[in-house]
Amino acid sequence: MATFSIHSYPFSFNLQILIFLFFTAKPISSFALQNNPNFDPYISLFGDARVENGSSNVILTRSHAPSSGLLLLDKPFKFVGEPVSFSTEFTFSLSPGNADGLALVFVPNGFQTRFTSQGSFGLFGENMYLGIEFDTQKDDKVGDFNANHIGVDINSLESIKVSNLSSSSMVLNNGEPLKSWVDYDSSSKLLQVRLSTFDSKRPFSPILTYSIDLLEMWGTKDVFVGIISTSINGSSFSNVYSWRFRVRHVLNSMHSLPANPHKDSDGFRTGKNKFCALTFLAGLIFGTGCGALFAFVVLFMWAILVSRHSVFPVECQVSPEEFRYEMVDVVVENDNQFNKN
């Protein structure tokens, strides 16, 4: 193989090459996902992650071994300040084979520059992270009890809370698309994970819950969110078909109010539909009450006006009079007497 050396060129030319390499050694452009409605904009791809021509999904691993790929949101957020909750949903599939699986990770600033594509989920050497792993490999070194579980990892690949998916008749790496919802409520400090098949609705009950204060964990640090997958022998592939992430800032006056755990993930429309239905019902009740009140006032005023202009007959009690007949003596004088006078 031919080799190329820059030592024989002037320093200025070498500097130009170094500058060129510095600015071109960037992650795969997020432009490939900006026009994809299934993904948030401004997502960068690291490692072996790629979007193949004509495909709408992201392939995180390649056929060579080992292989690791990372999807990372470019915009970080902080847990400090107003209480911060988040909700995220993503669909993925894991093919059968000797692979670690897939993980949703929360990492500090600079992780993307240290991503080495080595170790389980690419987290080798990291000492601060939160991971929700969808593990398809049984690793006795970290205490895995099977190769089909979901675990919560905090600064270590040894999960502190595990959910056995075999008991729920679900298989992570059978190649079928799965959908997951991960929610964190800052008021209850509760992390919830849900999982279902691709064509199923959001489950009512989470498959895993864990209490954690992420504000205490992260403090004022910037937090980046990513999806990682690793493969040991290159015989399996990880695909991500969609990913949405939402941060909710809760006002201090509302901090004691719990978030709605049943909000639907498809654009978060269920909560909105419920709100609209309740609003319509309240408006209907209010309108009916106002109409009844208006009708009562009209009838009341009509009764007053009618009573003022009506003439009611007065009943007079008539007592019968006593009648009697009297004999009247009529004296008729002789006409002669008048003549004499």
Side-chain angles (χ1 to χ4, degrees):
M1 179 182 294
T3 59
F4 176 77
S5 175
I6 64 175
H7 295 290
S8 59
Y9 291 86
F11 174 77
S12 60
F13 181 72
N14 294 341
L15 181 60
Q16 293 176 6
I17 293 178
L18 292 176
I19 294 175
F20 173 78
L21 292 176
F22 175 79
F23 283 104
T24 57
K26 293 182 179 180
I28 300 175
S29 174
S30 59
F31 293 150
L33 297 176
Q34 281 187 352
N35 297 325
N36 192 331
N38 297 324
F39 289 86
D40 279 333
Y42 309 110
I43 295 179
S44 295
L45 283 64
F46 293 84
D48 295 329
R50 67 201 183 276
V51 178
E52 293 186 344
N53 294 332
S55 176
S56 60
N57 61 289
V58 177
I59 304 175
L60 292 178
T61 55
R62 296 181 182 269
S63 58
H64 62 75
S67 177
S68 296
L70 168 65
L71 272 169
L72 191 71
L73 288 174
D74 294 338
K75 296 182 178 180
F77 67 97
K78 297 178 184 289
F79 284 97
V80 73
E82 294 180 350
V84 173
S85 302
F86 66 78
S87 297
T88 184
E89 60 174 276
F90 53 94
T91 56
F92 65 96
S93 66
L94 303 172
S95 64
N98 189 14
D100 289 326
L102 179 143
L104 175 73
V105 295
F106 297 80
V107 292
N109 189 18
F111 171 78
Q112 61 272 30
T113 63
R114 300 187 299 271
F115 182 69
T116 59
S117 302
Q118 300 294 329
S120 296
F121 302 119
L123 296 171
F124 180 78
E126 291 295 320
N127 55 12
M128 186 174 185
Y129 61 88
L130 168 65
I132 294 91
E133 63 174 32
F134 300 79
D135 203 342
T136 59
Q137 183 184 25
K138 186 178 184 298
D139 190 350
D140 295 331
K141 296 180 180 179
V142 294
D144 292 341
F145 61 89
N146 68 5
N148 189 43
H149 65 269
I150 298 177
V152 177
D153 304 340
I154 299 179
N155 305 332
S156 172
L157 292 175
E158 186 173 355
S159 300
I160 58 177
K161 186 71 176 290
V162 176
S163 176
N164 182 11
L165 295 180
S166 299
S167 61
S168 60
S169 302
M170 297 188 68
V171 180
L172 287 174
N173 61 343
N174 60 0
E176 296 182 1
L178 301 174
K179 192 169 188 176
S180 179
W181 297 261
V182 179
D183 304 285
Y184 176 74
D185 180 26
S186 59
S187 61
S188 62
K189 298 178 176 56
L190 189 64
L191 182 70
Q192 297 181 342
V193 182
R194 290 173 171 83
L195 183 69
S196 72
T197 56
F198 177 75
D199 55 351
S200 299
K201 294 182 179 179
R202 174 187 171 99
F204 179 83
S205 301
I207 200 169
L208 185 149
T209 60
Y210 182 70
S211 296
I212 182 173
D213 189 349
L214 294 181
L215 174 58
E216 181 180 354
M217 175 180 177
W218 291 103
T220 60
K221 295 182 175 65
D222 287 333
V223 181
F224 287 82
V225 188
I227 296 179
I228 291 179
S229 182
T230 55
S231 176
I232 297 175
N233 59 10
S235 62
S236 62
F237 296 92
S238 303
N239 294 274
V240 178
Y241 303 98
S242 66
W243 183 26
R244 291 285 185 178
F245 185 85
R246 294 291 180 268
V247 173
R248 304 190 306 274
H249 294 275
V250 184
L251 297 178
N252 291 325
S253 59
M254 301 176 60
H255 186 46
S256 60
L257 299 177
N260 182 6
H262 311 308
K263 183 177 288 186
D264 187 76
S265 62
D266 298 329
F268 306 107
R269 291 188 293 267
T270 299
K272 184 177 180 180
N273 291 338
K274 290 181 179 179
F275 175 79
C276 293
L278 291 176
T279 303
F280 174 77
L281 181 60
L284 181 62
I285 295 175
F286 179 76
T288 304
C290 291
L293 180 61
F294 178 76
F296 175 78
V297 172
V298 171
L299 291 176
F300 181 76
M301 297 300 296
W302 178 82
I304 293 176
L305 293 175
V306 169
S307 64
R308 287 183 176 181
H309 293 82
S310 299
V311 178
F312 297 96
V314 179
E315 295 183 359
C316 297
Q317 187 174 2
V318 180
S319 58
E321 295 289 342
E322 294 181 358
F323 295 93
R324 61 183 179 179
Y325 297 93
E326 293 182 358
M327 296 297 295
V328 179
D329 293 333
V330 178
V331 179
V332 178
E333 294 183 359
N334 195 341
D335 295 336
N336 296 327
Q337 294 180 353
F338 291 99
N339 295 326
K340 287 181 179 182
N341 295 331

